[in-house]
Amino acid sequence: MPASPAPGTSFTRPVVAVFPARRTTVTVTPMSSLLENGRSHDCGALRHADVGATVVLFGWVHRRRDHGALIFINLRDRFGITQVVIDPDLAPAAHAAAAVLRGEFCIAVAGVVVSRGDNINAQMPTGEIEVSLRELEVFSSADVLPFNVADDAELDATETHRLKYRYLDLRRPSLQKNFVLRSRLATLTRLTLAEAGFLELETPYMVKYTPGGARNFLVPSRLNPGQFYALAESPQIFKQLFMVAGMDKYFQICRCFRDEDLRNDRQPEFTQIDVEISYATPERVQAPIEALIRRAWKDILGAELPQQFPRMTWAEAMARYGSDKPDTRFGLEFIDLKDIVAESGFRMFTGAPFVKGLCVGPEHSEALTRGRLDKLTELVKKRESGGAKGLAWARVQADGSWQSPLAKNLSAELVAAINARMGALPGSVLLIIADDFHVTHQALNALRLELRDSLDLVARAGRSPWQFLWVTDFPLFERTDKGYVSSHHPFTSPRAVDLPLLDSDPAQVLAQAYDLVLNGNEIGGGSIRIHRSDVQAKVFAVLGLSEAQIQHKFGFLLEAFRYGPPPHGGIALGLDRISMLMAGATSLRDVIAFPKTQKGTDLMTGCPSGADDEQLAELFIRQAPPEGT
RNA sequence: GGGGUGGUAGUUAAGUCGGUUAUAACGCCGGCCUGUCACGCCGGAGGUCGCGGGUUCGAGCCCCGUCCGCCCCGCCA
């Protein structure tokens, strides 16, 4: 660390000035502007070893405590906070100048590092020292703030204000921390993948409009009247063409645009870590991703992750957790009862294709009062929780019998069999849903996640706080009223063993697709792609695409695949979501510097906005009159 | 497209059954204070109760409409 500010090149005549310092006499370059010479340290750097040094710090007035004579300033930048003490006996001019200082003024201070003696603040990394002010410059003043920046308490400002004055929100240390983390993650991504032989390549944001899938943002083309570019919803096709082009291994930290409704964890533009490799198998795609994640968690969070992340098929995830992105930080897995209850004669059970339940052990079940069970029943009946017809519950008594609305309908033998299957103990509470596949699993999943939160199951399970999971072997298609649609996208390869099923039973075809799940959040997804034109043709046929549609949307890709495409596959990771989870944030907005509101607007800039008639005319766009006029 | 919730001082919130001058904390302004660190003490200013309409003797509060934020469903190949 330099003991004094680096001399500025603009000063031809270094002048010696003697500060009337109490502990030391120091030599500095006096300057018309402290800015010219630059700061000697950031606001988080100084320690006890620096006592005696003459320093120049720049930053914002985080807090000011004016004792009339002594004034204390906490000076803040993104590196930390340093206390500045202003003593009228030592620096009368600076003391007089400091009278004007208020919160968030941007200032320069020059002074001497002194020990705080008995007044150490153990809460601050710089708490053993303070800077005794000799010279003060105010770069800029600040109006009364629209919200309290210094307090750093999220509840201190509503979302509206935070977004309107985003540049102030971003000054808060908690958000600064998030963006430091995000930057490190991006840097590690580039380092790790480049070291593994990946090329960082760019793909266009302005691409061909292809209806189907996510809605596109459209950009009118002035040079091509009446025609539009679409903003890329993903680099999917281009990265596959990179493989045809022989790039072998590609990655990109890439913005994607989707004009869909927003959520807490969904923004209209978001950032992907996009990866594609030639001669891929799922394992060859997953391995470098795991290496990247492991390195990021270790370097940024200091967390050791397992050498290999667990794998689970989609079918198993659905059967055990009712979700394709299960939270495996705790147990409470689904237990299948169908075979036991098949002969029960109880219509609620015999009439449903699926009968499954959860067993809340006696150590967790105290909180499940009758009132709470009624609330859970309401929950599973909600449409967004699956819309189950009801929830069968039972409290297991000391003798194994049930306290339950169902008790009188079921034989003692059946109760005993269910207890045994579910591992019920005295005091356990059993929650059972009987319905079709979709409702049973969705309702039990909603129930499981609700119990996770209300019974604090994650903390009480005592597992590692970072539970990664690869979910594999997704169905290739989903059946809708209008026929089959791709679960992932139409270039996803079926498993080789399932190829015959493309003709006979497409619903049974499983894909070479994989999602990376962290603590119940999908943070990435990918697949092995189809590189055989005959397989691609069959998939398009199942999807019901006409030859004309195929040629229009993907003609250039299929044409490219006529010229020796290598087998290939890849993945895309959600950089925003990963940053959010690493930062412990609960909203994507806390890791995106300038996010949009739920209606897709920017409260700070006022976008989107209208355009003037001249420009619209150039683009051959005419506005339709609003409805009702 | 649908469901929920919120909008009151610069900020965050309280505001009872519809009833006197709309309340508190922080911030702001002024004064005092030489070891604070969310400094303290004294005093003060500050309001289009989101906007528009209605009911009423009287509306922050009730009704209708509307705008905006947030959460969720649908949607997100």
Side-chain angles (χ1 to χ4, degrees):
Chain A
M1 280 295 161
S4 63
T9 50
S10 62
F11 291 98
T12 50
R13 296 180 295 117
V15 181
V16 173
V18 179
F19 282 148
R22 190 185 302 164
R23 293 171 178 79
T24 177
T25 301
V26 294
T27 304
V28 300
T29 306
M31 39 203 129
S32 57
S33 167
L34 295 170
L35 179 63
E36 288 294 324
N37 265 8
R39 58 186 161 191
S40 63
H41 298 78
D42 64 56
C43 292
L46 294 170
R47 295 292 183 272
H48 195 265
D50 299 302
V51 166
T54 294
V55 298
V56 175
L57 304 182
F58 300 157
W60 284 272
V61 176
H62 186 69
R63 238 176 261 283
R64 149 182 165 271
R65 294 177 292 278
D66 184 347
H67 289 231
L70 276 186
I71 300 173
F72 297 96
I73 299 289
N74 282 1
L75 192 67
R76 184 198 73 237
D77 63 16
R78 83 169 165 88
F79 307 98
I81 295 176
T82 298
Q83 175 166 285
V84 178
V85 60
I86 307 171
D87 186 332
D89 300 338
L90 299 175
H95 184 268
V100 305
L101 294 182
R102 294 294 183 272
E104 301 306 314
F105 277 32
C106 186
I107 64 172
V109 301
V112 182
V113 180
V114 297
S115 167
R116 290 211 207 174
D118 294 335
N119 299 311
I120 284 173
N121 183 341
Q123 312 299 314
M124 302 171 70
T126 62
E128 285 188 74
I129 57 88
E130 61 194 350
V131 172
S132 180
L133 186 76
R134 294 298 177 274
E135 194 180 341
L136 171 72
E137 278 185 22
V138 177
F139 290 139
S140 61
S141 62
D143 285 351
V144 174
L145 292 149
F147 57 86
N148 194 334
V149 173
D151 261 3
D152 201 24
E154 232 163 287
L155 294 177
D156 239 32
T158 50
E159 202 75 27
T160 312
H161 282 91
R162 292 181 55 196
L163 292 174
K164 181 169 180 188
Y165 302 97
R166 187 60 169 175
Y167 41 87
L168 292 178
D169 196 31
L170 290 170
R171 274 190 199 171
R172 292 158 52 235
S174 61
L175 277 196
Q176 297 241 322
K177 193 169 121 275
N178 291 354
F179 288 95
V180 170
L181 185 156
R182 185 182 171 124
S183 171
R184 293 180 65 190
L185 178 59
T187 302
L188 279 174
T189 298
R190 292 197 162 93
L191 279 174
T192 306
L193 293 179
E195 284 168 15
F198 287 80
L199 297 182
E200 181 171 8
L201 302 169
E202 291 169 84
T203 53
Y205 285 164
M206 294 163 65
V207 303
K208 182 181 169 68
Y209 170 61
T210 55
R215 285 190 195 87
N216 291 110
F217 288 100
L218 291 182
V219 180
S221 168
R222 180 179 58 81
L223 297 176
N224 301 278
Q227 302 196 311
F228 299 85
Y229 304 95
L231 294 182
E233 60 197 58
S234 111
Q236 181 62 37
I237 290 176
F238 292 97
K239 68 174 173 178
Q240 292 190 238
L241 292 174
F242 276 147
M243 298 304 102
V244 177
M247 298 303 180
D248 201 76
K249 291 180 178 175
Y250 140 95
F251 85 99
Q252 179 181 199
I253 296 180
C254 179
R255 197 65 60 83
C256 300
F257 306 86
R258 293 181 190 176
D259 188 10
E260 295 294 342
D261 285 9
L262 308 180
R263 289 281 191 286
N264 185 25
D265 60 351
R266 259 192 257 160
Q267 283 276 315
E269 50 180 311
F270 59 96
T271 305
Q272 275 184 189
I273 300 170
D274 197 48
V275 169
E276 194 81 3
I277 68 177
S278 293
Y279 314 109
T281 61
E283 290 70 28
R284 280 180 213 143
V285 174
Q286 291 159 1
I289 297 302
E290 286 193 21
L292 165 61
I293 296 274
R294 261 194 303 277
R295 182 169 176 186
W297 252 254
K298 184 168 186 178
D299 287 9
I300 299 174
L301 300 176
E304 291 285 350
L305 299 179
Q307 266 309 304
Q308 186 168 26
F309 297 169
R311 265 86 173 155
M312 184 181 292
T313 65
W314 176 86
E316 185 179 357
M318 291 305 293
R320 289 169 62 185
Y321 301 99
S323 169
D324 58 6
K325 45 178 183 176
D327 186 347
T328 50
R329 287 175 297 176
F330 66 105
L332 204 65
E333 295 186 19
F334 297 3
I335 299 157
D336 192 353
L337 301 171
K338 179 62 186 171
D339 58 314
I340 300 184
V341 300
E343 305 301 321
S344 65
F346 183 41
R347 189 174 304 167
M348 182 190 144
F349 287 164
T350 56
F354 284 83
V355 180
K356 301 180 94 166
L358 304 174
C359 175
V360 181
E363 70 276 20
H364 297 132
S365 65
E366 290 163 31
L368 293 181
T369 59
R370 180 59 198 262
R372 288 291 286 280
L373 291 166
D374 289 343
K375 283 263 161 50
L376 295 178
T377 304
E378 285 170 36
L379 172 72
V380 300
K381 286 182 173 174
K382 282 188 191 170
R383 194 165 54 102
E384 60 264 32
S385 310
K389 289 182 281 294
L391 173 65
W393 60 266
R395 193 182 301 280
V396 180
Q397 309 293 98
D399 62 359
S401 67
W402 283 6
Q403 179 202 332
S404 168
L406 273 62
K408 62 180 184 299
N409 298 307
L410 304 176
S411 68
E413 292 73 26
L414 184 60
V415 165
I418 294 176
N419 283 349
R421 171 68 63 85
M422 299 188 81
L425 299 168
S428 291
V429 169
L430 310 181
L431 304 167
I432 300 169
I433 301 272
D435 216 305
D436 64 23
F437 177 88
H438 181 75
V439 172
T440 302
H441 290 90
Q442 191 176 350
L444 278 178
N445 177 47
L447 211 49
R448 179 171 180 268
L449 296 181
E450 162 60 26
L451 293 170
R452 169 191 69 183
D453 297 334
S454 59
L455 301 181
D456 199 21
L457 293 181
V458 169
R460 294 168 79 174
R463 298 184 188 171
S464 158
W466 305 111
Q467 292 292 331
F468 288 86
L469 177 70
W470 289 104
V471 177
T472 67
D473 296 11
F474 284 75
L476 189 62
F477 303 107
E478 281 169 34
R479 198 181 229 138
T480 71
D481 344 330
K482 296 173 194 161
Y484 290 106
V485 296
S486 293
S487 305
H488 191 42
H489 57 57
F491 319 114
T492 303
S493 174
R495 301 192 308 178
V497 293
D498 294 334
L499 284 175
L501 293 169
L502 276 177
D503 299 313
S504 56
D505 192 359
Q508 297 303 314
V509 176
L510 299 183
Q512 294 193 67
Y514 31 83
D515 277 2
L516 183 56
V517 175
L518 169 57
N519 296 350
N521 301 279
E522 180 194 336
I523 60 170
S527 65
I528 302 303
R529 327 299 182 188
I530 299 170
H531 72 283
R532 279 171 46 182
S533 56
D534 60 329
V535 175
Q536 188 69 67
K538 278 189 180 174
V539 168
F540 283 148
V542 173
L543 294 172
L545 293 177
S546 71
E547 188 58 33
Q549 286 173 307
I550 294 166
Q551 284 307 320
H552 176 70
K553 293 171 78 167
F554 311 118
F556 60 98
L557 181 69
L558 297 182
E559 190 170 15
F561 281 2
R562 287 163 53 191
Y563 300 105
H568 58 283
I571 191 168
L573 301 174
L575 179 68
D576 312 287
R577 278 190 194 172
I578 294 173
S579 301
M580 178 179 90
L581 293 169
M582 290 182 88
T586 52
S587 166
L588 223 49
R589 290 185 299 274
D590 285 345
V591 293
I592 293 176
F594 297 101
K596 305 283 193 289
T597 70
Q598 196 157 34
K599 281 193 70 182
T601 65
D602 180 338
L603 295 179
M604 183 177 67
T605 64
C607 111
S609 59
D612 55 44
D613 292 340
E614 196 181 340
Q615 172 127 32
L616 291 177
E618 254 186 354
L619 297 170
F620 299 90
I621 291 176
R622 191 167 34 198
Q623 300 196 41
E627 274 177 52
T629 59

